[in-house]
């Protein structure tokens, strides 16, 4: 014990330990903040990565379904989702109450993109807004244009959906003098 001339204790004793404890606590708080920031950044990066992958998954689903949709144009009306909201069109596998059209169910369309035996996407058909007056009737296709809607179900944290408009057009007549010329003469009409 250190005493001063008058027999009192030195009040400075222990001040260095207090300053050291305050500095250590500050450094630990700073380190905790840095760890929290890095964890948030890592999670954000992972969500971005899985979001991009989910987008590709939904696009691949639409690409796989498209040839069958075009080949079965006569079955469009029977295959359309007739629900008033698009959320109700989602098949049960994607958390909705609808069902995939028969022409797009497995094995006609392989829903497993990565080969793990689990479907990665679901697809449904939706009529475009083709009625001249309200309300919209989603059970009838009047203009031979529908949407193919593919939803990736592999990444539930980052759901992605792709809608592609498909239009059935009839064969036309080529004229030799049409714009650009159909006989390969370019614009030399």
């Amino acid at each position: 014990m250190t005493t001063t001339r008058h027999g009192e204790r030195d009040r400075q004793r222990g001040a260095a330990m207090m300053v050291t404890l305050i500095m250590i606590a500050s450094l630990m708080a700073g380190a905790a903040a840095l760890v929290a920031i890095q964890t948030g950044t890592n999670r954000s990066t992972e969500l971005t990565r899985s979001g991009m992958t989910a987008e590709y998954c939904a696009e691949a689903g639409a690409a796989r379904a498209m040839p069958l949709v075009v080949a079965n144009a006569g079955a469009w009306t029977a295959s359309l989702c007739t629900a008033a909201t698009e959320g109700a069109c989602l098949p049960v596998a994607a958390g909705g109450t609808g069902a995939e059209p028969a022409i797009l169910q497995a094995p006609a369309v392989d829903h497993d993109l990565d080969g793990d035996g689990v479907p990665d996407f679901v697809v449904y058909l939706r009529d475009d807004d083709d009625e001249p007056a309200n309300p919209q009737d989603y059970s009838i296709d009047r203009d031979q244009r529908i949407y193919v809607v593919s939803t990736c179900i592999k990444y539930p944290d980052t759901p992605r959906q792709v809608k592609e408009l498909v239009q059935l057009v009839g064969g036309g007549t080529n004229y030799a003098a049409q714009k650009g010329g159909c006989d390969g003469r370019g614009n030399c009409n």
Side-chain angles (χ1 to χ4, degrees), residues 55-185:
E55 184 79 21
Y56 298 146
C57 167
E59 288 176 3
R64 284 194 177 182
M66 198 64 65
L68 279 172
V69 170
V70 172
N72 292 292
W76 284 2
T77 300
S79 302
L80 292 173
C81 172
T82 59
T85 63
E86 288 205 34
C89 289
L90 280 173
V92 175
T97 57
E100 280 189 326
I103 61 171
L104 298 178
Q105 292 177 359
V109 176
D110 184 11
H111 291 68
D112 182 18
L113 297 172
D114 54 6
D116 63 357
V118 177
D120 297 323
F121 63 89
V122 293
V123 182
Y124 67 88
L125 304 179
R126 183 78 166 167
D127 188 28
D128 67 331
D129 292 339
D130 55 4
E131 269 64 47
N134 286 336
Q136 176 67 29
D137 185 1
Y138 290 108
S139 65
I140 300 171
D141 175 40
R142 298 185 191 282
D143 61 357
Q144 297 182 329
R145 290 176 19 168
I146 63 166
Y147 287 104
V148 174
V149 184
S150 173
T151 305
C152 182
I153 58 174
K154 182 176 175 99
Y155 304 98
D157 288 344
T158 54
R160 294 291 188 268
Q161 189 175 73
V162 172
K163 292 172 100 174
E164 290 194 34
L165 184 63
V166 179
Q167 180 173 354
L168 186 63
V169 293
T173 304
N174 289 330
Y175 297 101
Q178 73 187 43
K179 183 178 178 181
C182 69
D183 57 359
R185 293 184 300 150

